[in-house]
Amino acid sequence: MTIEKTDTLVIGAGQAGVAMSEHLSKLDVPHLVLERNRIAERWRTERWDSLVCNGPAWHDRFPGLEFKDADPDAFIPKDQVAAYFEAYAKKFNAPIRTGVEVKKVVRNVGRPGFTIETSEGTIEANRVVAATGPFQRPIIPPVAPKDDRLTQIHSAQYRNPGQLPEGAVLVVGAGSSGVQIADELQRAGKKVYLSVGAHDRPPRAYRNRDFCWWLGVLGEWDAAAMKPGTEHVTIAVSGARGGHTVDFRGLAHQGITLVGMTKSFDDGVASFQPDLAENIARGDANYLSLLDAADAYIERNGLDLPEEPEARKKLPDPDCLTNPLLSLDLAAAGVTSIVWATGFAVDYSWLQVNAFDEKGKPKHQRGVSSEPGVYFVGLPWLSRRGSTFIWGVWHDAKYIADHIATQRKYFAYRDAAHRASTSA
Ligand SMILES: Cc1cc2nc3c(=O)[nH]c(=O)nc-3n(C[C@H](O)[C@H](O)[C@H](O)COP(=O)(O)OP(=O)(O)OC[C@H]3O[C@@H](n4cnc5c(N)ncnc54)[C@H](O)[C@@H]3O)c2cc1C
Protein backbone atom coordinates (compact mmCIF):
# COMPACT_ATOMS: atom_id res chain seq x y z
CA MET A 1 0.00 0.00 0.00
CA THR A 2 1.41 3.45 -0.90
CA ILE A 3 1.26 6.04 1.81
CA GLU A 4 0.44 9.60 0.82
CA LYS A 5 3.28 12.01 1.59
CA THR A 6 3.48 15.77 1.89
CA ASP A 7 6.07 18.16 3.22
CA THR A 8 3.87 20.06 5.67
CA LEU A 9 0.51 18.93 6.96
CA VAL A 10 -1.75 21.64 8.40
CA ILE A 11 -4.55 20.37 10.63
CA GLY A 12 -7.67 22.55 10.67
CA ALA A 13 -9.04 24.98 8.08
CA GLY A 14 -10.34 27.84 10.15
CA GLN A 15 -8.75 31.22 9.65
CA ALA A 16 -5.44 29.91 11.06
CA GLY A 17 -5.25 26.99 8.60
CA VAL A 18 -6.22 29.20 5.65
CA ALA A 19 -3.57 31.79 6.58
CA MET A 20 -0.98 29.04 7.01
CA SER A 21 -1.78 27.67 3.57
CA GLU A 22 -1.50 31.11 1.96
CA HIS A 23 1.97 31.73 3.41
CA LEU A 24 3.21 28.21 2.66
CA SER A 25 1.96 28.59 -0.92
CA LYS A 26 3.80 31.89 -1.31
CA LEU A 27 7.01 30.19 -0.18
CA ASP A 28 6.45 27.18 -2.47
CA VAL A 29 6.25 24.76 0.46
CA PRO A 30 4.34 21.64 -0.65
CA HIS A 31 1.55 21.13 1.86
CA LEU A 32 -1.91 19.82 2.53
CA VAL A 33 -4.60 21.13 4.89
CA LEU A 34 -6.97 18.61 6.46
CA GLU A 35 -10.27 19.85 7.91
CA ARG A 36 -12.69 17.47 9.60
CA ASN A 37 -15.76 19.50 8.63
CA ARG A 38 -15.88 22.53 6.32
CA ILE A 39 -13.69 25.61 5.97
CA ALA A 40 -14.34 27.96 8.93
CA GLU A 41 -16.72 25.45 10.47
CA ARG A 42 -16.76 27.11 13.88
CA TRP A 43 -18.06 30.35 12.39
CA ARG A 44 -20.79 28.34 10.64
CA THR A 45 -22.13 26.03 13.32
CA GLU A 46 -20.47 26.63 16.67
CA ARG A 47 -21.61 30.21 17.30
CA TRP A 48 -25.01 31.74 17.95
CA ASP A 49 -27.29 32.78 15.07
CA SER A 50 -27.08 36.56 15.46
CA LEU A 51 -23.30 36.76 16.03
CA VAL A 52 -21.46 39.45 14.11
CA CYS A 53 -17.75 40.25 14.28
CA ASN A 54 -16.59 42.09 17.35
CA GLY A 55 -14.31 44.24 15.20
CA PRO A 56 -15.23 46.30 12.12
CA ALA A 57 -14.82 44.94 8.58
CA TRP A 58 -11.78 47.10 7.83
CA HIS A 59 -9.98 45.49 10.80
CA ASP A 60 -11.22 41.91 11.19
CA ARG A 61 -9.93 40.54 7.91
CA PHE A 62 -6.78 39.33 6.16
CA PRO A 63 -4.68 41.94 4.33
CA GLY A 64 -5.28 40.36 0.91
CA LEU A 65 -9.06 40.64 0.66
CA GLU A 66 -11.79 43.02 1.76
CA PHE A 67 -15.33 41.94 2.64
CA LYS A 68 -17.33 42.22 -0.59
CA ASP A 69 -20.00 44.95 -0.67
CA ALA A 70 -19.53 45.78 3.01
CA ASP A 71 -19.18 49.14 4.70
CA PRO A 72 -15.65 49.02 6.16
CA ASP A 73 -17.06 50.20 9.52
CA ALA A 74 -19.77 47.51 9.61
CA PHE A 75 -19.67 44.39 11.79
CA ILE A 76 -19.87 41.36 9.54
CA PRO A 77 -22.36 38.56 10.34
CA LYS A 78 -20.80 35.18 11.13
CA ASP A 79 -22.02 33.38 7.98
CA GLN A 80 -20.37 36.04 5.82
CA VAL A 81 -17.16 35.56 7.80
CA ALA A 82 -17.25 31.84 6.94
CA ALA A 83 -17.96 32.67 3.27
CA TYR A 84 -15.03 35.13 3.33
CA PHE A 85 -12.56 32.43 4.40
CA GLU A 86 -13.94 30.05 1.82
CA ALA A 87 -13.51 32.69 -0.92
CA TYR A 88 -10.06 33.53 0.41
CA ALA A 89 -8.95 29.89 0.18
CA LYS A 90 -10.28 29.71 -3.40
CA LYS A 91 -8.33 32.86 -4.33
CA PHE A 92 -5.00 31.03 -4.13
CA ASN A 93 -6.33 27.53 -4.69
CA ALA A 94 -5.48 26.34 -1.18
CA PRO A 95 -4.92 22.57 -1.02
CA ILE A 96 -7.62 22.02 1.60
CA ARG A 97 -9.25 18.62 1.94
CA THR A 98 -12.48 18.83 3.94
CA GLY A 99 -14.30 16.07 5.79
CA VAL A 100 -11.08 14.42 6.94
CA GLU A 101 -10.31 14.20 10.63
CA VAL A 102 -6.82 13.79 12.00
CA LYS A 103 -6.96 11.10 14.68
CA LYS A 104 -3.33 10.74 15.67
CA VAL A 105 0.10 12.25 14.98
CA VAL A 106 3.30 10.48 16.08
CA ARG A 107 6.96 11.14 15.35
CA ASN A 108 8.64 8.55 13.11
CA VAL A 109 11.27 6.41 14.82
CA GLY A 110 14.78 6.45 13.35
CA ARG A 111 13.84 8.68 10.43
CA PRO A 112 12.57 12.23 10.09
CA GLY A 113 8.97 13.30 10.00
CA PHE A 114 5.61 12.22 11.33
CA THR A 115 2.98 9.59 10.65
CA ILE A 116 -0.54 10.90 10.70
CA GLU A 117 -3.60 8.71 11.06
CA THR A 118 -6.71 10.23 9.57
CA SER A 119 -10.31 9.17 9.06
CA GLU A 120 -9.27 8.42 5.46
CA GLY A 121 -5.98 6.60 5.92
CA THR A 122 -2.36 7.30 6.78
CA ILE A 123 -0.26 10.26 5.65
CA GLU A 124 3.40 11.04 6.24
CA ALA A 125 4.71 14.57 6.58
CA ASN A 126 8.01 16.20 7.45
CA ARG A 127 6.22 18.79 9.55
CA VAL A 128 2.81 19.33 11.12
CA VAL A 129 1.05 22.56 12.00
CA ALA A 130 -1.77 22.32 14.55
CA ALA A 131 -4.32 24.93 13.51
CA THR A 132 -7.24 23.40 15.39
CA GLY A 133 -8.26 26.58 17.15
CA PRO A 134 -7.89 28.44 20.42
CA PHE A 135 -11.41 27.55 21.54
CA GLN A 136 -11.85 23.82 21.09
CA ARG A 137 -13.50 22.34 24.16
CA PRO A 138 -16.20 24.30 26.01
CA ILE A 139 -15.49 24.60 29.73
CA ILE A 140 -18.31 24.35 32.25
CA PRO A 141 -16.85 24.79 35.75
CA PRO A 142 -17.25 22.04 38.34
CA VAL A 143 -19.62 24.22 40.44
CA ALA A 144 -22.37 23.62 37.84
CA PRO A 145 -25.35 22.10 39.68
CA LYS A 146 -26.51 18.58 38.95
CA ASP A 147 -30.17 19.45 38.72
CA ASP A 148 -32.44 17.89 36.10
CA ARG A 149 -34.95 20.73 36.42
CA LEU A 150 -32.43 23.14 34.88
CA THR A 151 -31.48 23.37 31.21
CA GLN A 152 -27.74 24.05 31.11
CA ILE A 153 -25.80 24.87 27.96
CA HIS A 154 -22.42 26.36 27.14
CA SER A 155 -22.24 29.53 25.05
CA ALA A 156 -20.87 27.35 22.21
CA GLN A 157 -24.24 25.54 22.16
CA TYR A 158 -26.38 28.67 22.43
CA ARG A 159 -28.14 29.60 19.18
CA ASN A 160 -31.08 31.91 19.98
CA PRO A 161 -33.58 32.72 22.77
CA GLY A 162 -36.17 30.28 21.37
CA GLN A 163 -33.89 27.38 22.25
CA LEU A 164 -34.34 27.94 26.00
CA PRO A 165 -37.39 26.90 28.02
CA GLU A 166 -39.84 29.46 29.42
CA GLY A 167 -38.54 31.21 32.50
CA ALA A 168 -35.60 33.26 33.72
CA VAL A 169 -31.98 32.60 32.77
CA LEU A 170 -28.71 32.85 34.64
CA VAL A 171 -25.85 33.72 32.28
CA VAL A 172 -22.51 32.97 33.91
CA GLY A 173 -19.57 34.92 32.48
CA ALA A 174 -19.55 38.47 31.16
CA GLY A 175 -16.94 38.43 28.43
CA SER A 176 -18.01 39.27 24.89
CA SER A 177 -20.10 36.07 24.58
CA GLY A 178 -21.85 36.33 27.97
CA VAL A 179 -22.82 40.01 27.65
CA GLN A 180 -24.07 39.61 24.11
CA ILE A 181 -26.12 36.52 24.93
CA ALA A 182 -27.55 38.11 28.12
CA ASP A 183 -28.51 41.23 26.16
CA GLU A 184 -30.19 39.19 23.42
CA LEU A 185 -32.13 37.08 25.94
CA GLN A 186 -33.31 40.13 27.86
CA ARG A 187 -34.40 41.88 24.65
CA ALA A 188 -36.34 38.74 23.73
CA GLY A 189 -38.38 39.22 26.92
CA LYS A 190 -36.57 36.95 29.35
CA LYS A 191 -35.67 37.79 32.92
CA VAL A 192 -31.86 37.58 32.98
CA TYR A 193 -29.31 37.35 35.78
CA LEU A 194 -25.74 38.02 34.61
CA SER A 195 -22.81 36.83 36.70
CA VAL A 196 -19.95 39.31 36.16
CA GLY A 197 -16.27 38.57 36.84
CA ALA A 198 -13.11 40.54 36.09
CA HIS A 199 -13.22 42.15 32.67
CA ASP A 200 -11.80 44.83 30.41
CA ARG A 201 -14.38 46.85 28.55
CA PRO A 202 -12.89 49.22 26.01
CA PRO A 203 -15.22 51.84 24.53
CA ARG A 204 -16.67 50.68 21.20
CA ALA A 205 -15.36 53.90 19.74
CA TYR A 206 -13.86 57.11 21.08
CA ARG A 207 -13.23 60.39 19.30
CA ASN A 208 -14.27 58.93 15.94
CA ARG A 209 -12.06 55.86 16.10
CA ASP A 210 -13.08 52.27 16.89
CA PHE A 211 -11.28 50.65 19.84
CA CYS A 212 -9.59 48.25 17.38
CA TRP A 213 -7.88 51.31 15.89
CA TRP A 214 -6.90 52.59 19.33
CA LEU A 215 -5.46 49.25 20.44
CA GLY A 216 -3.52 49.19 17.18
CA VAL A 217 -1.96 52.65 17.34
CA LEU A 218 -1.32 52.37 21.08
CA GLY A 219 0.58 49.11 20.49
CA GLU A 220 -1.76 47.07 22.69
CA TRP A 221 -2.58 44.39 20.14
CA ASP A 222 1.18 43.76 19.97
CA ALA A 223 1.65 43.28 23.73
CA ALA A 224 3.80 40.15 23.99
CA ALA A 225 2.39 38.83 27.27
CA MET A 226 -0.54 39.31 29.60
CA LYS A 227 0.04 41.78 32.39
CA PRO A 228 0.64 39.78 35.61
CA GLY A 229 -2.59 39.10 37.47
CA THR A 230 -4.81 39.51 34.40
CA GLU A 231 -4.94 35.82 33.43
CA HIS A 232 -8.65 35.64 34.30
CA VAL A 233 -9.64 39.00 32.88
CA THR A 234 -11.95 38.68 29.90
CA ILE A 235 -12.77 41.37 27.31
CA ALA A 236 -16.35 42.58 26.95
CA VAL A 237 -17.01 44.12 23.54
CA SER A 238 -19.88 43.91 21.09
CA GLY A 239 -20.49 44.49 17.39
CA ALA A 240 -24.18 43.62 17.83
CA ARG A 241 -26.85 46.13 16.70
CA GLY A 242 -24.29 48.21 14.81
CA GLY A 243 -21.73 48.02 17.61
CA HIS A 244 -21.86 49.64 21.04
CA THR A 245 -19.83 49.99 24.22
CA VAL A 246 -20.59 47.28 26.76
CA ASP A 247 -21.98 49.22 29.71
CA PHE A 248 -22.98 47.04 32.64
CA ARG A 249 -24.97 49.84 34.27
CA GLY A 250 -26.85 50.21 30.99
CA LEU A 251 -27.59 46.48 30.92
CA ALA A 252 -28.91 46.70 34.50
CA HIS A 253 -31.13 49.72 33.69
CA GLN A 254 -32.43 47.73 30.73
CA GLY A 255 -33.63 45.06 33.18
CA ILE A 256 -30.76 42.59 33.62
CA THR A 257 -29.84 41.78 37.23
CA LEU A 258 -26.08 41.82 37.66
CA VAL A 259 -24.51 39.52 40.24
CA GLY A 260 -20.89 38.80 41.22
CA MET A 261 -18.86 35.73 40.29
CA THR A 262 -20.80 32.49 40.67
CA LYS A 263 -19.47 30.65 43.71
CA SER A 264 -21.61 27.56 44.29
CA PHE A 265 -25.02 25.91 44.08
CA ASP A 266 -26.56 24.23 47.12
CA ASP A 267 -30.07 22.79 47.23
CA GLY A 268 -31.27 24.94 44.34
CA VAL A 269 -29.69 28.12 45.71
CA ALA A 270 -26.94 29.87 43.74
CA SER A 271 -24.34 31.84 45.73
CA PHE A 272 -22.33 34.71 44.32
CA GLN A 273 -19.09 36.33 45.42
CA PRO A 274 -19.40 39.81 46.97
CA ASP A 275 -17.17 41.15 44.18
CA LEU A 276 -19.64 42.76 41.76
CA ALA A 277 -18.86 46.39 42.66
CA GLU A 278 -15.12 45.71 42.50
CA ASN A 279 -15.36 43.97 39.11
CA ILE A 280 -17.45 46.82 37.69
CA ALA A 281 -15.05 49.43 39.14
CA ARG A 282 -12.05 47.69 37.58
CA GLY A 283 -13.84 47.49 34.24
CA ASP A 284 -14.57 51.23 34.52
CA ALA A 285 -10.91 51.92 35.31
CA ASN A 286 -9.86 49.95 32.24
CA TYR A 287 -12.37 51.89 30.12
CA LEU A 288 -11.13 55.25 31.42
CA SER A 289 -7.47 54.29 31.01
CA LEU A 290 -8.07 53.74 27.31
CA LEU A 291 -9.75 57.15 26.99
CA ASP A 292 -6.77 58.73 28.77
CA ALA A 293 -4.25 56.94 26.55
CA ALA A 294 -6.24 57.96 23.46
CA ASP A 295 -6.37 61.62 24.58
CA ALA A 296 -2.62 61.61 25.22
CA TYR A 297 -1.97 60.04 21.81
CA ILE A 298 -4.13 62.64 20.07
CA GLU A 299 -2.34 65.47 21.83
CA ARG A 300 1.16 64.07 21.25
CA ASN A 301 0.49 63.64 17.55
CA GLY A 302 -1.58 66.80 17.07
CA LEU A 303 -4.50 64.84 15.58
CA ASP A 304 -7.69 66.61 14.65
CA LEU A 305 -10.24 64.27 16.23
CA PRO A 306 -13.38 65.70 17.88
CA GLU A 307 -13.46 65.85 21.68
CA GLU A 308 -15.96 63.51 23.35
CA PRO A 309 -16.46 64.53 27.00
CA GLU A 310 -19.75 62.62 27.27
CA ALA A 311 -17.77 59.36 26.97
CA ARG A 312 -16.64 59.98 30.56
CA LYS A 313 -20.18 60.26 31.95
CA LYS A 314 -21.49 57.30 33.94
CA LEU A 315 -25.08 56.14 34.30
CA PRO A 316 -26.32 56.09 37.93
CA ASP A 317 -25.48 52.92 39.82
CA PRO A 318 -28.40 50.49 39.57
CA ASP A 319 -29.81 48.87 42.69
CA CYS A 320 -28.30 45.46 41.82
CA LEU A 321 -24.87 47.09 42.00
CA THR A 322 -25.36 48.96 45.28
CA ASN A 323 -27.26 46.10 46.98
CA PRO A 324 -25.89 43.03 45.20
CA LEU A 325 -27.59 39.68 45.49
CA LEU A 326 -25.32 37.18 47.21
CA SER A 327 -27.67 34.26 46.75
CA LEU A 328 -30.57 33.36 44.53
CA ASP A 329 -33.16 30.65 45.06
CA LEU A 330 -33.39 29.54 41.45
CA ALA A 331 -36.87 28.02 41.60
CA ALA A 332 -38.31 31.00 43.51
CA ALA A 333 -36.76 33.38 40.95
CA GLY A 334 -38.20 31.29 38.10
CA VAL A 335 -34.73 30.42 36.73
CA THR A 336 -35.11 27.44 34.41
CA SER A 337 -31.83 27.62 32.51
CA ILE A 338 -28.17 28.49 32.86
CA VAL A 339 -25.94 29.59 29.99
CA TRP A 340 -22.28 29.00 30.84
CA ALA A 341 -20.24 31.61 28.95
CA THR A 342 -17.16 30.42 30.76
CA GLY A 343 -14.64 29.90 28.02
CA PHE A 344 -12.84 27.07 26.31
CA ALA A 345 -9.84 24.78 26.61
CA VAL A 346 -7.70 23.15 23.94
CA ASP A 347 -7.60 19.43 23.23
CA TYR A 348 -4.45 18.00 21.70
CA SER A 349 -4.98 14.38 22.70
CA TRP A 350 -4.43 13.43 19.04
CA LEU A 351 -1.00 15.11 18.89
CA GLN A 352 1.22 12.55 20.59
CA VAL A 353 4.56 14.36 20.47
CA ASN A 354 6.91 16.01 22.92
CA ALA A 355 5.49 19.51 22.58
CA PHE A 356 3.62 19.90 25.88
CA ASP A 357 4.51 20.76 29.45
CA GLU A 358 3.49 18.71 32.49
CA LYS A 359 0.09 20.45 32.51
CA GLY A 360 -0.51 19.59 28.86
CA LYS A 361 0.06 23.16 27.68
CA PRO A 362 1.80 23.59 24.31
CA LYS A 363 5.49 24.43 24.76
CA HIS A 364 6.46 26.82 21.99
CA GLN A 365 8.04 30.08 21.01
CA ARG A 366 5.90 32.06 18.59
CA GLY A 367 4.30 28.77 17.53
CA VAL A 368 7.57 26.88 16.97
CA SER A 369 7.20 24.01 19.43
CA SER A 370 9.74 22.18 21.55
CA GLU A 371 9.32 19.16 19.24
CA PRO A 372 11.20 20.02 16.03
CA GLY A 373 8.79 19.95 13.11
CA VAL A 374 5.65 20.59 15.18
CA TYR A 375 4.03 24.03 15.07
CA PHE A 376 1.02 25.69 16.71
CA VAL A 377 -0.92 28.58 15.22
CA GLY A 378 -3.99 30.46 16.46
CA LEU A 379 -3.40 30.02 20.20
CA PRO A 380 -4.08 32.89 22.63
CA TRP A 381 -0.94 35.00 23.08
CA LEU A 382 0.98 32.84 20.58
CA SER A 383 3.14 35.87 19.82
CA ARG A 384 1.00 38.78 21.02
CA ARG A 385 -2.39 39.82 22.28
CA GLY A 386 -3.83 39.81 18.75
CA SER A 387 -2.83 36.19 18.04
CA THR A 388 -6.32 34.65 18.14
CA PHE A 389 -7.87 37.42 16.10
CA ILE A 390 -8.33 37.27 12.35
CA TRP A 391 -5.63 39.77 11.44
CA GLY A 392 -3.26 38.54 14.18
CA VAL A 393 -3.25 34.91 13.13
CA TRP A 394 -2.31 35.93 9.59
CA HIS A 395 0.92 37.51 10.83
CA ASP A 396 1.73 34.58 13.13
CA ALA A 397 1.19 32.16 10.24
CA LYS A 398 3.63 34.18 8.14
CA TYR A 399 6.33 33.81 10.77
CA ILE A 400 5.75 30.05 11.06
CA ALA A 401 5.76 29.54 7.29
CA ASP A 402 9.04 31.40 7.13
CA HIS A 403 10.49 29.14 9.82
CA ILE A 404 9.36 26.08 7.87
CA ALA A 405 10.92 27.40 4.63
CA THR A 406 14.21 27.98 6.47
CA GLN A 407 14.16 24.46 7.92
CA ARG A 408 13.58 23.07 4.44
CA LYS A 409 16.72 24.84 3.28
CA TYR A 410 18.74 23.15 6.03
CA PHE A 411 17.37 19.78 4.93
CA ALA A 412 18.15 20.55 1.29
CA TYR A 413 21.80 21.26 2.10
CA ARG A 414 24.29 18.87 0.49
CA ASP A 415 27.98 18.79 1.44
CA ALA A 416 30.76 19.26 -1.16
CA ALA A 417 31.47 15.54 -1.64
CA HIS A 418 27.82 14.84 -2.15
CA ARG A 419 27.46 17.74 -4.58
CA ALA A 420 30.45 16.48 -6.58
CA SER A 421 29.13 12.91 -6.70
CA THR A 422 25.69 13.99 -7.90
CA SER A 423 27.04 16.43 -10.52
CA ALA A 424 29.59 13.91 -11.94
C1 LIG B 1 -17.96 33.74 19.99
C2 LIG B 1 -16.69 34.13 19.34
C3 LIG B 1 -16.61 35.30 18.58
C4 LIG B 1 -15.42 35.68 17.99
N1 LIG B 1 -15.40 36.84 17.27
C5 LIG B 1 -14.24 37.25 16.71
C6 LIG B 1 -14.19 38.45 15.97
O1 LIG B 1 -15.18 39.13 15.84
N2 LIG B 1 -13.01 38.83 15.41
C7 LIG B 1 -11.88 38.07 15.54
O2 LIG B 1 -10.83 38.44 15.00
N3 LIG B 1 -11.90 36.94 16.27
C8 LIG B 1 -13.04 36.50 16.85
N4 LIG B 1 -13.07 35.34 17.58
C9 LIG B 1 -11.79 34.65 17.81
C10 LIG B 1 -11.29 33.79 16.62
O3 LIG B 1 -11.30 34.56 15.47
C11 LIG B 1 -12.14 32.56 16.40
O4 LIG B 1 -12.13 31.79 17.56
C12 LIG B 1 -11.65 31.71 15.21
O5 LIG B 1 -12.62 30.72 14.97
C13 LIG B 1 -10.30 31.03 15.47
O6 LIG B 1 -9.83 30.52 14.25
P1 LIG B 1 -8.84 29.28 14.15
O7 LIG B 1 -8.65 28.99 12.72
O8 LIG B 1 -7.63 29.55 14.98
O9 LIG B 1 -9.62 28.11 14.86
P2 LIG B 1 -11.03 27.46 14.50
O10 LIG B 1 -11.95 28.42 13.87
O11 LIG B 1 -11.46 26.80 15.75
O12 LIG B 1 -10.65 26.40 13.39
C14 LIG B 1 -10.06 25.16 13.68
C15 LIG B 1 -10.55 24.16 12.67
O13 LIG B 1 -9.89 22.93 12.93
C16 LIG B 1 -10.79 21.86 12.69
N5 LIG B 1 -10.29 20.71 13.44
C17 LIG B 1 -10.17 20.58 14.79
N6 LIG B 1 -9.65 19.40 15.12
C18 LIG B 1 -9.40 18.75 13.96
C19 LIG B 1 -8.84 17.47 13.63
N7 LIG B 1 -8.43 16.63 14.58
N8 LIG B 1 -8.74 17.12 12.33
C20 LIG B 1 -9.14 17.98 11.35
N9 LIG B 1 -9.67 19.19 11.60
C21 LIG B 1 -9.80 19.58 12.89
C22 LIG B 1 -12.12 22.40 13.18
O14 LIG B 1 -13.21 21.73 12.55
C23 LIG B 1 -12.04 23.88 12.77
O15 LIG B 1 -12.64 24.13 11.54
C24 LIG B 1 -14.25 34.91 18.17
C25 LIG B 1 -14.32 33.72 18.93
C26 LIG B 1 -15.52 33.34 19.52
C27 LIG B 1 -15.57 32.08 20.35
Side-chain angles (χ1 to χ4, degrees), residues 375-399:
Y375 298 83
F376 295 100
V377 64
L379 292 178
W381 296 92
L382 190 96
S383 73
R384 70 187 96 191
R385 182 176 181 177
S387 284
T388 50
F389 295 87
I390 294 169
W391 68 270
V393 82
W394 189 89
H395 291 280
D396 285 348
K398 190 172 181 200
Y399 176 84

Side-chain angles (χ1 to χ4, degrees), residues 89-100:
K90 267 208 190 97
K91 207 166 77 83
F92 62 93
N93 213 4
I96 297 176
R97 202 175 290 166
T98 54
V100 184

Side-chain angles (χ1 to χ4, degrees), residues 12 14-16 35-36 42 47 53-54 60 102 133 135 388 390:
Q15 61 205 33
E35 163 58 51
R36 65 183 171 195
R42 294 213 213 266
R47 312 256 151 96
C53 267
N54 291 324
D60 280 13
V102 168
F135 307 127
T388 50
I390 294 169

Side-chain angles (χ1 to χ4, degrees), residues 50-74:
S50 66
L51 178 72
V52 299
C53 267
N54 291 324
W58 65 263
H59 186 264
D60 280 13
R61 67 174 175 85
F62 287 167
L65 184 67
E66 295 185 2
F67 281 97
K68 209 165 149 244
D69 303 327
D71 174 350
D73 293 320

